[in-house]
Amino acid sequence: HDAVEDAGGIPRLEDIRARFGKKVAKIVLACSDSTDEEWKKTVPYWERKNKYLEHLAAPKTDERAVLVSIADKTHNARAIVTDLERTGYAVLQKFNGTPTEVLKYYEECLSIGKAKNVPDTLTIPLGLAVDTIGEYVQAGSRSQTKDSEPR
């Protein structure tokens, strides 16, 4: 599902189409926020993610692609929570977006998943992960505010 976005763009999509057929290629393409590495490098995080969210929420988006995407986001959010529990707030600094943007992205994915009737076997764990990420973002914001206050 991430091959086009992370490992080769359109040539990789053609490889997927040849190996797995048109239906799978269509789902993989629909799960990709970009097919162009240069575009991905130059467009700010939130602009790129917001464009993907609009695509995911669109009525015409294949429900199988939404399901695969929300499964991926659930896995990713849970992995972020694991990293947060292990190493703390600094994990959120590894993203191209701010911690607040990362949280907003996963909140929007959850909202879309619920609106598109993705099974609760995905939306419940995604929701729990989003709540935990939100707690870390709030705590990190408070901590940064305290650190920047005059003593």
Side-chain angles (χ1 to χ4, degrees), residues 41-144:
K41 290 176 188 174
T42 60
V43 175
Y45 176 89
W46 184 248
E47 183 179 333
R48 184 168 47 92
K49 294 301 184 184
N50 195 50
K51 182 176 178 179
Y52 181 72
L53 290 167
E54 288 172 359
H55 157 73
L56 201 60
K60 65 180 172 125
T61 301
D62 186 326
E63 65 185 31
R64 297 169 298 180
V66 174
L67 181 64
V68 171
S69 181
I70 298 302
D72 177 48
K73 302 317 175 225
T74 299
H75 174 265
N76 293 349
R78 292 177 80 183
I80 292 169
V81 168
T82 298
D83 289 347
L84 285 166
E85 297 289 336
R86 281 189 187 145
T87 60
Y89 181 80
V91 166
L92 294 171
Q93 304 298 325
K94 74 178 183 177
F95 293 92
N96 292 328
T98 67
T100 301
E101 288 172 333
V102 171
L103 173 61
K104 178 75 173 159
Y105 178 64
Y106 285 100
E107 288 172 338
E108 291 296 320
C109 288
L110 176 60
S111 178
I112 292 166
K114 288 179 177 180
K116 297 262 186 161
N117 297 313
V118 168
D120 63 6
T121 52
L122 291 172
T123 58
I124 289 172
L126 179 55
L128 292 169
V130 165
D131 289 346
T132 302
I133 294 167
E135 291 168 9
Y136 274 90
V137 169
Q138 283 185 325
S141 296
R142 284 193 302 270
S143 171
Q144 288 179 345

